[in-house]
Amino acid sequence: MSVPNIELNDGHSIPQLGFGVFQIDPGDTAPAVTHALEVGYRHIDTAEMYGNERGVGEGIRASGLDRGELYVTSKLNNGFHRPDDARRAFDRTLNELGFEYVDLFLIHWPLPMLYEGDFVTTWKTLEEFRQDGRARSIGVSNFQVEHLERLAAETDTVPAVNQIELHPYLLNHEVRAYDEEHGIATEAWSPIAKGQVLDDPVVTEIADRVGRTAAQVVLRWHIQRGNIVFPKSVTPERIRENFEIFDFELEPADIERITGLDRGEAGRTGPNPDKFAYVPS
Ligand SMILES: NC(=O)c1ccc[n+]([C@@H]2O[C@H](COP(=O)([O-])OP(=O)(O)OC[C@H]3O[C@@H](n4cnc5c(N)ncnc54)[C@H](OP(=O)(O)O)[C@@H]3O)[C@@H](O)[C@H]2O)c1
């Protein structure tokens, strides 16, 4: 079963399916990552905020795979948007992972209510990491259209990706459309809405009919719509189940029915990026 690659606007490419490690305890992270790599995942999505970058590095090294075969993303935590803080935080991220580079480094949240709303300077600092080769690609997360427009007006680099909350209950249509028009790949976080969409009658009816699980149907819906996804699980059978989505296809009518589940803003499970101003202590 092979995972397609998505071409990014900077010439690199990213496996369309990865493994997310948000809310995996630091001590459980290495075995979960090693298991995911055994199953076949080659893309891991972590963040300084998750506190488990070290476990990600350990899990990768325990797998015996070459670093070059893997795609690793991490993210700048909210307390470190000022340039010198960002530089130190990026050094720490590489140190925790135990790698000389990450494939992708993201600004985790735009935080328009903090730092005088100046995520532009933060973005220019990430440009340095790309220029010195320690971040092969750079991107953003939770950026709204107006935030992307500011980067376009005030900087030279279009983000390679924008990682946003996106699942059948929150299509995040405007942001995704902006991404698409401007060559930014969209990554969908909480792709199964943390499990909330799995009992939806539309999803379960399709799953029963095509002989797949609800999670596989929703993940397949993302893949066919071109989203990059990295479902999280600590359950070995689910880690495998979430990977086995490349040997079937959904009919266009079923894709449309799942797309029709959108609840707009009411479907959001996480914070609204315009208002989110949390800095971990
Ligand atoms: N950039 C951001 O701000 C941001 C925010 C949130 C998430 N993310 C990224 O996106 C990744 C995924 O999002 P997420 O962790 O929030 O949510 P998710 O992947 O949509 O859902 C994870 C939840 O679903 C359960 N689950 C997984 N596979 C399942 C299956 N096949 N059947 C039934 N239940 C299943 C997991 O349970 P078990 O673990 O108990 O199996 C867990 O409770 C994160 O790990 C992180 O990398 C980024």
Side-chain angles (χ1 to χ4, degrees), residues 19-23 45-46 50 75 106 108-109 141-142 163-164 188-195 198 213 215-216 230-235 238-239 241-242:
F19 181 63
V21 298
F22 178 43
Q23 291 176 328
D45 185 272
T46 185
Y50 306 165
K75 314 183 190 91
L106 309 179
H108 206 147
W109 290 88
S141 178
N142 300 300
Q163 183 176 128
I164 54 173
W189 65 252
S190 292
I192 56 172
K194 303 185 175 78
L198 302 183
T213 68
Q216 288 174 324
F230 23 81
K232 170 265 176 185
S233 180
V234 287
T235 314
R238 290 175 173 174
I239 293 175
E241 173 187 328
N242 295 344

mmCIF file of all heavy atoms in Angstrom, residues 19-23 45-46 50 75 106 108-109 141-142 163-164 188-195 198 213 215-216 230-235 238-239 241-242, ligand 1:
data_model
loop_
_atom_site.group_PDB
_atom_site.id
_atom_site.type_symbol
_atom_site.label_atom_id
_atom_site.label_comp_id
_atom_site.label_asym_id
_atom_site.label_seq_id
_atom_site.Cartn_x
_atom_site.Cartn_y
_atom_site.Cartn_z
ATOM 1 N N PHE A 19 1.372 10.334 10.731
ATOM 2 C CA PHE A 19 0.959 9.904 12.060
ATOM 3 C C PHE A 19 1.097 11.104 12.997
ATOM 4 O O PHE A 19 2.181 11.675 13.128
ATOM 5 C CB PHE A 19 1.869 8.752 12.511
ATOM 6 C CG PHE A 19 1.547 8.191 13.862
ATOM 7 C CD1 PHE A 19 0.324 7.574 14.099
ATOM 8 C CD2 PHE A 19 2.464 8.271 14.908
ATOM 9 C CE1 PHE A 19 0.017 7.052 15.349
ATOM 10 C CE2 PHE A 19 2.168 7.750 16.164
ATOM 11 C CZ PHE A 19 0.943 7.145 16.390
ATOM 12 N N GLY A 20 -0.013 11.495 13.642
ATOM 13 C CA GLY A 20 -0.002 12.642 14.558
ATOM 14 C C GLY A 20 0.202 12.181 15.988
ATOM 15 O O GLY A 20 -0.291 11.122 16.389
ATOM 16 N N VAL A 21 0.934 12.982 16.778
ATOM 17 C CA VAL A 21 1.254 12.540 18.144
ATOM 18 C C VAL A 21 0.767 13.499 19.229
ATOM 19 O O VAL A 21 1.214 13.419 20.372
ATOM 20 C CB VAL A 21 2.779 12.262 18.300
ATOM 21 C CG1 VAL A 21 3.223 11.147 17.365
ATOM 22 C CG2 VAL A 21 3.619 13.516 18.068
ATOM 23 N N PHE A 22 -0.176 14.380 18.886
ATOM 24 C CA PHE A 22 -0.767 15.276 19.901
ATOM 25 C C PHE A 22 -1.436 14.426 20.980
ATOM 26 O O PHE A 22 -2.147 13.463 20.677
ATOM 27 C CB PHE A 22 -1.796 16.178 19.203
ATOM 28 C CG PHE A 22 -2.535 17.131 20.105
ATOM 29 C CD1 PHE A 22 -1.887 17.842 21.099
ATOM 30 C CD2 PHE A 22 -3.905 17.346 19.927
ATOM 31 C CE1 PHE A 22 -2.579 18.741 21.907
ATOM 32 C CE2 PHE A 22 -4.607 18.246 20.724
ATOM 33 C CZ PHE A 22 -3.948 18.939 21.720
ATOM 34 N N GLN A 23 -1.191 14.780 22.239
ATOM 35 C CA GLN A 23 -1.792 14.109 23.399
ATOM 36 C C GLN A 23 -1.324 12.673 23.584
ATOM 37 O O GLN A 23 -1.994 11.883 24.236
ATOM 38 C CB GLN A 23 -3.324 14.190 23.339
ATOM 39 C CG GLN A 23 -3.792 15.632 23.561
ATOM 40 C CD GLN A 23 -5.284 15.824 23.417
ATOM 41 O OE1 GLN A 23 -5.932 15.132 22.638
ATOM 42 N NE2 GLN A 23 -5.840 16.777 24.134
ATOM 43 N N ASP A 45 3.927 13.955 12.634
ATOM 44 C CA ASP A 45 3.600 15.348 12.938
ATOM 45 C C ASP A 45 3.642 15.562 14.453
ATOM 46 O O ASP A 45 2.816 15.013 15.186
ATOM 47 C CB ASP A 45 2.196 15.693 12.408
ATOM 48 C CG ASP A 45 1.868 17.160 12.608
ATOM 49 O OD1 ASP A 45 1.348 17.521 13.678
ATOM 50 O OD2 ASP A 45 2.154 17.950 11.683
ATOM 51 N N THR A 46 4.629 16.360 14.909
ATOM 52 C CA THR A 46 4.733 16.665 16.335
ATOM 53 C C THR A 46 4.806 18.174 16.514
ATOM 54 O O THR A 46 4.622 18.942 15.566
ATOM 55 C CB THR A 46 5.948 15.947 16.974
ATOM 56 O OG1 THR A 46 5.951 16.179 18.385
ATOM 57 C CG2 THR A 46 7.278 16.413 16.402
ATOM 58 N N TYR A 50 3.565 19.707 22.291
ATOM 59 C CA TYR A 50 3.104 18.364 22.680
ATOM 60 C C TYR A 50 4.028 17.716 23.724
ATOM 61 O O TYR A 50 3.673 16.715 24.323
ATOM 62 C CB TYR A 50 3.003 17.423 21.469
ATOM 63 C CG TYR A 50 2.149 17.929 20.319
ATOM 64 C CD1 TYR A 50 2.230 17.341 19.065
ATOM 65 C CD2 TYR A 50 1.264 18.987 20.477
ATOM 66 C CE1 TYR A 50 1.462 17.805 17.998
ATOM 67 C CE2 TYR A 50 0.499 19.460 19.419
ATOM 68 C CZ TYR A 50 0.604 18.876 18.183
ATOM 69 O OH TYR A 50 -0.145 19.328 17.131
ATOM 70 N N LYS A 75 6.677 22.255 15.322
ATOM 71 C CA LYS A 75 6.039 23.581 15.302
ATOM 72 C C LYS A 75 6.585 24.468 16.420
ATOM 73 O O LYS A 75 6.906 23.972 17.506
ATOM 74 C CB LYS A 75 4.514 23.434 15.476
ATOM 75 C CG LYS A 75 3.909 22.349 14.608
ATOM 76 C CD LYS A 75 2.401 22.248 14.717
ATOM 77 C CE LYS A 75 1.912 20.994 14.013
ATOM 78 N NZ LYS A 75 1.834 19.799 14.889
ATOM 79 N N LEU A 106 6.616 24.749 11.398
ATOM 80 C CA LEU A 106 5.428 25.610 11.288
ATOM 81 C C LEU A 106 5.350 26.595 12.446
ATOM 82 O O LEU A 106 5.755 26.277 13.569
ATOM 83 C CB LEU A 106 4.150 24.755 11.329
ATOM 84 C CG LEU A 106 4.046 23.560 10.381
ATOM 85 C CD1 LEU A 106 2.712 22.832 10.612
ATOM 86 C CD2 LEU A 106 4.159 24.007 8.942
ATOM 87 N N HIS A 108 2.924 27.558 15.015
ATOM 88 C CA HIS A 108 1.800 26.729 15.469
ATOM 89 C C HIS A 108 0.469 27.489 15.443
ATOM 90 O O HIS A 108 -0.548 26.949 15.016
ATOM 91 C CB HIS A 108 2.096 26.214 16.882
ATOM 92 C CG HIS A 108 1.406 24.951 17.236
ATOM 93 N ND1 HIS A 108 1.950 24.002 18.076
ATOM 94 C CD2 HIS A 108 0.197 24.454 16.882
ATOM 95 C CE1 HIS A 108 1.108 22.998 18.210
ATOM 96 N NE2 HIS A 108 0.028 23.245 17.503
ATOM 97 N N TRP A 109 0.492 28.749 15.916
ATOM 98 C CA TRP A 109 -0.725 29.580 15.928
ATOM 99 C C TRP A 109 -0.343 31.015 15.562
ATOM 100 O O TRP A 109 0.722 31.480 15.974
ATOM 101 C CB TRP A 109 -1.386 29.580 17.328
ATOM 102 C CG TRP A 109 -2.010 28.276 17.691
ATOM 103 C CD1 TRP A 109 -1.409 27.215 18.308
ATOM 104 C CD2 TRP A 109 -3.369 27.868 17.449
ATOM 105 N NE1 TRP A 109 -2.305 26.180 18.461
ATOM 106 C CE2 TRP A 109 -3.514 26.552 17.950
ATOM 107 C CE3 TRP A 109 -4.473 28.495 16.866
ATOM 108 C CZ2 TRP A 109 -4.714 25.848 17.871
ATOM 109 C CZ3 TRP A 109 -5.673 27.790 16.797
ATOM 110 C CH2 TRP A 109 -5.786 26.480 17.298
ATOM 111 N N SER A 141 0.357 27.278 10.683
ATOM 112 C CA SER A 141 -0.748 26.461 11.166
ATOM 113 C C SER A 141 -1.790 27.396 11.766
ATOM 114 O O SER A 141 -1.435 28.366 12.448
ATOM 115 C CB SER A 141 -0.239 25.471 12.223
ATOM 116 O OG SER A 141 -1.300 24.708 12.732
ATOM 117 N N ASN A 142 -3.025 27.099 11.494
ATOM 118 C CA ASN A 142 -4.155 27.874 12.028
ATOM 119 C C ASN A 142 -4.181 29.306 11.502
ATOM 120 O O ASN A 142 -4.714 30.199 12.170
ATOM 121 C CB ASN A 142 -4.127 27.860 13.569
ATOM 122 C CG ASN A 142 -4.229 26.453 14.111
ATOM 123 O OD1 ASN A 142 -5.210 25.767 13.854
ATOM 124 N ND2 ASN A 142 -3.205 25.992 14.832
ATOM 125 N N GLN A 163 -1.627 24.287 8.148
ATOM 126 C CA GLN A 163 -2.241 23.161 8.885
ATOM 127 C C GLN A 163 -3.416 23.708 9.690
ATOM 128 O O GLN A 163 -3.230 24.505 10.605
ATOM 129 C CB GLN A 163 -1.196 22.526 9.812
ATOM 130 C CG GLN A 163 -1.739 21.322 10.551
ATOM 131 C CD GLN A 163 -0.700 20.603 11.417
ATOM 132 O OE1 GLN A 163 -0.934 20.361 12.600
ATOM 133 N NE2 GLN A 163 0.428 20.237 10.836
ATOM 134 N N ILE A 164 -4.627 23.298 9.318
ATOM 135 C CA ILE A 164 -5.839 23.878 9.928
ATOM 136 C C ILE A 164 -6.789 22.765 10.396
ATOM 137 O O ILE A 164 -6.721 21.631 9.900
ATOM 138 C CB ILE A 164 -6.588 24.782 8.911
ATOM 139 C CG1 ILE A 164 -6.898 24.024 7.605
ATOM 140 C CG2 ILE A 164 -5.767 26.030 8.625
ATOM 141 C CD1 ILE A 164 -7.782 24.805 6.623
ATOM 142 N N ALA A 188 -4.930 18.843 7.207
ATOM 143 C CA ALA A 188 -6.164 18.811 7.996
ATOM 144 C C ALA A 188 -5.882 18.234 9.376
ATOM 145 O O ALA A 188 -5.623 17.033 9.504
ATOM 146 C CB ALA A 188 -7.210 17.963 7.285
ATOM 147 N N TRP A 189 -5.917 19.095 10.415
ATOM 148 C CA TRP A 189 -5.736 18.519 11.756
ATOM 149 C C TRP A 189 -7.068 18.065 12.351
ATOM 150 O O TRP A 189 -8.125 18.526 11.936
ATOM 151 C CB TRP A 189 -4.912 19.383 12.675
ATOM 152 C CG TRP A 189 -5.319 20.746 13.170
ATOM 153 C CD1 TRP A 189 -4.775 21.935 12.765
ATOM 154 C CD2 TRP A 189 -6.241 21.086 14.232
ATOM 155 N NE1 TRP A 189 -5.314 22.974 13.486
ATOM 156 C CE2 TRP A 189 -6.211 22.492 14.397
ATOM 157 C CE3 TRP A 189 -7.085 20.340 15.052
ATOM 158 C CZ2 TRP A 189 -6.995 23.164 15.334
ATOM 159 C CZ3 TRP A 189 -7.874 21.004 15.991
ATOM 160 C CH2 TRP A 189 -7.825 22.388 16.127
ATOM 161 N N SER A 190 -6.976 17.146 13.296
ATOM 162 C CA SER A 190 -8.170 16.448 13.806
ATOM 163 C C SER A 190 -9.013 15.924 12.640
ATOM 164 O O SER A 190 -10.209 16.229 12.540
ATOM 165 C CB SER A 190 -9.006 17.336 14.733
ATOM 166 O OG SER A 190 -8.320 17.604 15.933
ATOM 167 N N PRO A 191 -8.423 15.116 11.768
ATOM 168 C CA PRO A 191 -9.122 14.720 10.535
ATOM 169 C C PRO A 191 -10.398 13.923 10.788
ATOM 170 O O PRO A 191 -11.309 13.954 9.958
ATOM 171 C CB PRO A 191 -8.078 13.872 9.789
ATOM 172 C CG PRO A 191 -7.136 13.396 10.849
ATOM 173 C CD PRO A 191 -7.069 14.508 11.850
ATOM 174 N N ILE A 192 -10.472 13.222 11.935
ATOM 175 C CA ILE A 192 -11.725 12.514 12.249
ATOM 176 C C ILE A 192 -12.464 13.231 13.390
ATOM 177 O O ILE A 192 -13.274 12.635 14.094
ATOM 178 C CB ILE A 192 -11.490 11.022 12.568
ATOM 179 C CG1 ILE A 192 -10.484 10.827 13.707
ATOM 180 C CG2 ILE A 192 -11.020 10.275 11.320
ATOM 181 C CD1 ILE A 192 -10.361 9.370 14.186
ATOM 182 N N ALA A 193 -12.132 14.543 13.547
ATOM 183 C CA ALA A 193 -12.761 15.367 14.592
ATOM 184 C C ALA A 193 -12.646 14.697 15.965
ATOM 185 O O ALA A 193 -13.595 14.666 16.741
ATOM 186 C CB ALA A 193 -14.223 15.675 14.239
ATOM 187 N N LYS A 194 -11.466 14.145 16.220
ATOM 188 C CA LYS A 194 -11.171 13.458 17.491
ATOM 189 C C LYS A 194 -12.170 12.324 17.740
ATOM 190 O O LYS A 194 -12.516 12.024 18.875
ATOM 191 C CB LYS A 194 -11.159 14.441 18.661
ATOM 192 C CG LYS A 194 -10.162 15.590 18.485
ATOM 193 C CD LYS A 194 -10.100 16.469 19.713
ATOM 194 C CE LYS A 194 -9.044 17.537 19.614
ATOM 195 N NZ LYS A 194 -9.442 18.702 18.778
ATOM 196 N N GLY A 195 -12.676 11.738 16.696
ATOM 197 C CA GLY A 195 -13.616 10.618 16.820
ATOM 198 C C GLY A 195 -15.071 11.037 16.712
ATOM 199 O O GLY A 195 -15.957 10.194 16.536
ATOM 200 N N LEU A 198 -17.368 9.797 13.812
ATOM 201 C CA LEU A 198 -17.390 8.362 13.480
ATOM 202 C C LEU A 198 -18.751 7.707 13.709
ATOM 203 O O LEU A 198 -19.011 6.619 13.209
ATOM 204 C CB LEU A 198 -16.292 7.620 14.251
ATOM 205 C CG LEU A 198 -14.866 8.147 13.987
ATOM 206 C CD1 LEU A 198 -13.838 7.302 14.728
ATOM 207 C CD2 LEU A 198 -14.544 8.182 12.494
ATOM 208 N N THR A 213 -14.236 0.715 7.881
ATOM 209 C CA THR A 213 -14.633 1.362 9.133
ATOM 210 C C THR A 213 -14.955 2.829 8.866
ATOM 211 O O THR A 213 -14.542 3.407 7.845
ATOM 212 C CB THR A 213 -13.505 1.287 10.187
ATOM 213 O OG1 THR A 213 -12.427 2.106 9.736
ATOM 214 C CG2 THR A 213 -13.033 -0.146 10.406
ATOM 215 N N ALA A 215 -13.715 5.390 10.361
ATOM 216 C CA ALA A 215 -12.473 6.187 10.308
ATOM 217 C C ALA A 215 -11.837 6.078 8.923
ATOM 218 O O ALA A 215 -11.370 7.084 8.361
ATOM 219 C CB ALA A 215 -11.496 5.717 11.386
ATOM 220 N N GLN A 216 -11.844 4.866 8.361
ATOM 221 C CA GLN A 216 -11.248 4.701 7.026
ATOM 222 C C GLN A 216 -12.009 5.513 5.974
ATOM 223 O O GLN A 216 -11.405 6.107 5.082
ATOM 224 C CB GLN A 216 -11.227 3.222 6.640
ATOM 225 C CG GLN A 216 -10.183 2.430 7.428
ATOM 226 C CD GLN A 216 -10.256 0.941 7.158
ATOM 227 O OE1 GLN A 216 -11.349 0.376 6.978
ATOM 228 N NE2 GLN A 216 -9.109 0.297 7.135
ATOM 229 N N PHE A 230 -2.937 13.348 9.255
ATOM 230 C CA PHE A 230 -2.078 12.558 10.170
ATOM 231 C C PHE A 230 -2.899 12.232 11.411
ATOM 232 O O PHE A 230 -2.744 12.855 12.466
ATOM 233 C CB PHE A 230 -0.767 13.304 10.519
ATOM 234 C CG PHE A 230 -0.879 14.795 10.353
ATOM 235 C CD1 PHE A 230 -1.467 15.563 11.338
ATOM 236 C CD2 PHE A 230 -0.446 15.396 9.191
ATOM 237 C CE1 PHE A 230 -1.611 16.932 11.170
ATOM 238 C CE2 PHE A 230 -0.597 16.770 9.014
ATOM 239 C CZ PHE A 230 -1.174 17.530 10.004
ATOM 240 N N PRO A 231 -3.814 11.238 11.280
ATOM 241 C CA PRO A 231 -4.625 10.853 12.433
ATOM 242 C C PRO A 231 -3.738 10.392 13.585
ATOM 243 O O PRO A 231 -2.675 9.826 13.367
ATOM 244 C CB PRO A 231 -5.472 9.696 11.891
ATOM 245 C CG PRO A 231 -4.717 9.193 10.694
ATOM 246 C CD PRO A 231 -4.013 10.369 10.125
ATOM 247 N N LYS A 232 -4.218 10.683 14.797
ATOM 248 C CA LYS A 232 -3.494 10.256 15.996
ATOM 249 C C LYS A 232 -4.185 9.034 16.602
ATOM 250 O O LYS A 232 -5.416 8.974 16.689
ATOM 251 C CB LYS A 232 -3.490 11.396 17.018
ATOM 252 C CG LYS A 232 -2.981 11.018 18.411
ATOM 253 C CD LYS A 232 -4.111 10.638 19.370
ATOM 254 C CE LYS A 232 -3.598 10.171 20.721
ATOM 255 N NZ LYS A 232 -4.703 9.701 21.604
ATOM 256 N N SER A 233 -3.401 8.062 17.040
ATOM 257 C CA SER A 233 -3.944 6.981 17.859
ATOM 258 C C SER A 233 -2.811 6.348 18.655
ATOM 259 O O SER A 233 -1.681 6.294 18.190
ATOM 260 C CB SER A 233 -4.620 5.911 16.992
ATOM 261 O OG SER A 233 -5.117 4.888 17.823
ATOM 262 N N VAL A 234 -3.164 5.901 19.865
ATOM 263 C CA VAL A 234 -2.193 5.104 20.626
ATOM 264 C C VAL A 234 -2.583 3.623 20.561
ATOM 265 O O VAL A 234 -1.953 2.793 21.201
ATOM 266 C CB VAL A 234 -2.114 5.543 22.106
ATOM 267 C CG1 VAL A 234 -1.402 6.876 22.230
ATOM 268 C CG2 VAL A 234 -3.489 5.594 22.761
ATOM 269 N N THR A 235 -3.631 3.312 19.820
ATOM 270 C CA THR A 235 -4.154 1.943 19.779
ATOM 271 C C THR A 235 -3.594 1.229 18.547
ATOM 272 O O THR A 235 -3.888 1.636 17.412
ATOM 273 C CB THR A 235 -5.701 1.995 19.680
ATOM 274 O OG1 THR A 235 -6.195 2.950 20.622
ATOM 275 C CG2 THR A 235 -6.316 0.636 19.930
ATOM 276 N N ARG A 238 -5.846 0.529 15.584
ATOM 277 C CA ARG A 238 -6.322 1.739 14.901
ATOM 278 C C ARG A 238 -5.214 2.370 14.067
ATOM 279 O O ARG A 238 -5.480 2.933 12.997
ATOM 280 C CB ARG A 238 -6.828 2.764 15.910
ATOM 281 C CG ARG A 238 -8.120 2.346 16.584
ATOM 282 C CD ARG A 238 -8.476 3.362 17.649
ATOM 283 N NE ARG A 238 -9.778 3.109 18.229
ATOM 284 C CZ ARG A 238 -10.261 3.786 19.262
ATOM 285 N NH1 ARG A 238 -9.536 4.741 19.832
ATOM 286 N NH2 ARG A 238 -11.446 3.510 19.730
ATOM 287 N N ILE A 239 -3.977 2.307 14.559
ATOM 288 C CA ILE A 239 -2.843 2.867 13.796
ATOM 289 C C ILE A 239 -2.775 2.142 12.450
ATOM 290 O O ILE A 239 -2.614 2.762 11.396
ATOM 291 C CB ILE A 239 -1.525 2.726 14.601
ATOM 292 C CG1 ILE A 239 -1.575 3.607 15.855
ATOM 293 C CG2 ILE A 239 -0.319 3.071 13.738
ATOM 294 C CD1 ILE A 239 -0.386 3.473 16.799
ATOM 295 N N GLU A 241 -5.347 0.366 11.026
ATOM 296 C CA GLU A 241 -6.609 0.638 10.307
ATOM 297 C C GLU A 241 -6.541 1.979 9.567
ATOM 298 O O GLU A 241 -6.940 2.074 8.398
ATOM 299 C CB GLU A 241 -7.728 0.673 11.352
ATOM 300 C CG GLU A 241 -9.085 1.093 10.874
ATOM 301 C CD GLU A 241 -10.055 1.253 12.071
ATOM 302 O OE1 GLU A 241 -9.927 0.532 13.085
ATOM 303 O OE2 GLU A 241 -10.944 2.110 11.972
ATOM 304 N N ASN A 242 -5.987 2.984 10.218
ATOM 305 C CA ASN A 242 -5.941 4.330 9.621
ATOM 306 C C ASN A 242 -4.975 4.395 8.441
ATOM 307 O O ASN A 242 -5.042 5.315 7.633
ATOM 308 C CB ASN A 242 -5.542 5.373 10.675
ATOM 309 C CG ASN A 242 -6.585 5.520 11.770
ATOM 310 O OD1 ASN A 242 -7.721 5.083 11.618
ATOM 311 N ND2 ASN A 242 -6.201 6.127 12.891
HETATM 312 N N1 LIG B 1 -1.805 22.497 14.439
HETATM 313 C C1 LIG B 1 -2.672 22.340 15.409
HETATM 314 O O1 LIG B 1 -3.059 23.314 16.064
HETATM 315 C C2 LIG B 1 -3.162 20.969 15.735
HETATM 316 C C3 LIG B 1 -4.227 20.795 16.635
HETATM 317 C C4 LIG B 1 -4.683 19.510 16.896
HETATM 318 C C5 LIG B 1 -4.078 18.429 16.255
HETATM 319 N N2 LIG B 1 -3.021 18.614 15.407
HETATM 320 C C6 LIG B 1 -2.346 17.477 14.722
HETATM 321 O O2 LIG B 1 -3.332 16.648 14.126
HETATM 322 C C7 LIG B 1 -3.182 15.314 14.628
HETATM 323 C C8 LIG B 1 -4.516 14.608 14.656
HETATM 324 O O3 LIG B 1 -5.486 15.364 15.363
HETATM 325 P P1 LIG B 1 -6.105 14.926 16.775
HETATM 326 O O4 LIG B 1 -5.134 14.082 17.493
HETATM 327 O O5 LIG B 1 -6.564 16.163 17.441
HETATM 328 O O6 LIG B 1 -7.441 14.163 16.385
HETATM 329 P P2 LIG B 1 -7.872 12.944 15.433
HETATM 330 O O7 LIG B 1 -6.686 12.329 14.778
HETATM 331 O O8 LIG B 1 -8.985 13.461 14.583
HETATM 332 O O9 LIG B 1 -8.510 11.940 16.476
HETATM 333 C C9 LIG B 1 -7.774 11.293 17.469
HETATM 334 C C10 LIG B 1 -8.759 10.538 18.384
HETATM 335 O O10 LIG B 1 -9.477 9.576 17.633
HETATM 336 C C11 LIG B 1 -9.243 8.261 18.135
HETATM 337 N N3 LIG B 1 -9.044 7.392 16.970
HETATM 338 C C12 LIG B 1 -8.006 7.371 16.104
HETATM 339 N N4 LIG B 1 -8.171 6.472 15.141
HETATM 340 C C13 LIG B 1 -9.379 5.881 15.383
HETATM 341 C C14 LIG B 1 -10.104 4.849 14.741
HETATM 342 N N5 LIG B 1 -9.614 4.235 13.659
HETATM 343 N N6 LIG B 1 -11.301 4.486 15.264
HETATM 344 C C15 LIG B 1 -11.803 5.097 16.367
HETATM 345 N N7 LIG B 1 -11.154 6.089 17.023
HETATM 346 C C16 LIG B 1 -9.947 6.475 16.538
HETATM 347 C C17 LIG B 1 -8.001 8.358 18.999
HETATM 348 O O11 LIG B 1 -8.084 7.449 20.082
HETATM 349 P P3 LIG B 1 -6.854 6.522 20.626
HETATM 350 O O12 LIG B 1 -5.597 7.338 20.548
HETATM 351 O O13 LIG B 1 -7.290 6.226 22.019
HETATM 352 O O14 LIG B 1 -6.815 5.308 19.754
HETATM 353 C C18 LIG B 1 -8.075 9.798 19.507
HETATM 354 O O15 LIG B 1 -8.945 9.875 20.627
HETATM 355 C C19 LIG B 1 -2.563 15.539 16.008
HETATM 356 O O16 LIG B 1 -2.001 14.370 16.554
HETATM 357 C C20 LIG B 1 -1.551 16.618 15.691
HETATM 358 O O17 LIG B 1 -0.424 16.041 15.047
HETATM 359 C C21 LIG B 1 -2.567 19.878 15.140
#
